Amino acid sequence: MLLTTLTGCADTAAPDAPPAASAAPSAPEQAPAQWSYEGDTGPQHWGELADEFTTCSTGTAQSPIDVPGDPVLSSSPIEIDYTPADFQARDTGHTVELHALSPQSITVDGTEYTFQQMHYHAPSEHTVDGVNYAAEFHFVHRSEDGDLAVVGVLAAEGQHNAAWSSVADAVPASAEQDSPAVEGLTLTSLLPESLDHYVYGGSLTTPPCSEDVRWLLLQNPVELGAAQIGALRSAHAENNRPVQPLNDREVSEVDQ
Ligand SMILES: [Zn+2]
């Protein structure tokens, strides 16, 4: 079923490809090989699907992970530089991404990372001491050198969350959106009050699973209402890669 959706996506997207590419030269490259979250093209097989996906099976610093119960303390606070912006939604066939129409950034350890897009996985990809969550949002940022910093926000099902309404509303309808799907949103309003977070070096959780990602996983989940989680899941669900071996990596905890 997912493969059918993907094929449909690729077919309809093809005629638009040249203008889209010239209009947005910095857009993330589209992987030519098809992958999914189940069966022969699922996570266990990503590494075999294309040469450029090999790291998915041979990498030793892959994401997501189960965050261990006793991380070491560290100090590299996240400096947030988000401002009100309009956002365009784009269904990639695996998730829905929100792209900001004006520049947004964060700074970590003196390096500035520019916001690329925010998307979600349901249920969560990271687990914390074995516990998983209803959803996980990835705020993807890239430095001038091409290194990635992803702020992960876990979401638990609970009370309706007004701050997230515009995002939850935009997701299922994104395919028909021409104008901005979300207007005047400051990304900071989507974050939990505390920016305490876990830090570790990992990878993209989707092919090509490149290992150049500084993961900043916020410790406190946000709460979303059942209908809001349902809105996300109605567009994409079970789009979570299983947790990967930690190997010899250290996970640090930053209180800020
Ligand atoms: Zn993600």
Side-chain angles (χ1 to χ4, degrees):
M1 183 167 173
L2 185 50
L3 275 176
T4 311
T5 311
L6 285 174
T7 309
C9 248
D11 288 349
T12 53
D16 298 333
S22 58
S26 63
E29 59 278 3
Q30 297 293 318
Q34 298 208 341
W35 53 272
S36 75
Y37 286 99
E38 60 185 4
D40 291 346
T41 54
Q44 316 309 333
H45 299 284
W46 287 351
E48 311 152 13
L49 298 177
D51 287 347
E52 62 269 29
F53 293 176
T54 307
T55 309
C56 298
S57 53
T58 62
T60 56
Q62 290 289 290
S63 295
I65 57 164
D66 175 46
V67 176
D70 55 349
V72 295
L73 272 179
S74 167
S75 60
S76 56
I78 310 170
E79 294 169 44
I80 302 273
D81 232 332
Y82 294 151
T83 53
D86 295 344
F87 292 82
Q88 206 97 51
R90 185 165 82 205
D91 194 323
T92 66
H94 300 112
T95 186
V96 175
E97 296 177 346
L98 281 188
H99 293 255
L101 299 181
S102 54
Q104 309 289 318
S105 69
I106 62 170
T107 301
V108 184
D109 276 344
T111 302
E112 186 181 52
Y113 297 87
T114 306
F115 177 81
Q116 306 292 301
Q117 42 92 1
M118 188 268 277
H119 64 269
Y120 69 93
H121 304 266
S124 72
E125 296 206 296
H126 286 92
T127 57
V128 180
D129 211 6
V131 176
N132 80 336
Y133 289 82
E136 178 173 341
F137 297 90
H138 290 158
F139 295 63
V140 181
H141 307 76
R142 188 190 298 269
S143 75
E144 218 172 307
D145 293 339
D147 297 324
L148 297 177
V150 182
V151 176
V153 178
L154 299 164
E157 188 173 311
Q159 298 247 325
H160 175 84
N161 189 327
W164 278 86
S165 286
S166 56
V167 175
D169 290 349
V171 163
S174 60
E176 292 86 43
Q177 297 276 355
D178 272 338
S179 53
V182 183
E183 294 182 324
L185 173 72
T186 304
L187 290 172
T188 317
S189 69
L190 304 179
L191 305 177
E193 212 164 295
S194 164
L195 295 181
D196 291 355
H197 61 280
Y198 303 110
V199 187
Y200 78 96
S203 74
L204 298 177
T205 65
T206 56
C209 309
S210 319
E211 295 181 339
D212 55 0
V213 180
R214 182 201 288 255
W215 276 97
L216 308 156
L217 182 67
L218 301 193
Q219 287 175 25
N220 294 95
V222 293
E223 250 182 48
L224 297 188
Q228 294 179 306
I229 300 280
L232 301 176
R233 293 187 60 90
S234 72
H236 294 284
E238 316 313 329
N239 58 347
N240 60 311
R241 185 189 196 192
V243 292
Q244 304 294 306
L246 185 58
N247 296 324
D248 56 359
R249 286 176 289 175
E250 195 167 74
V251 179
S252 308
E253 182 180 328
V254 179
D255 297 332
Q256 74 175 89

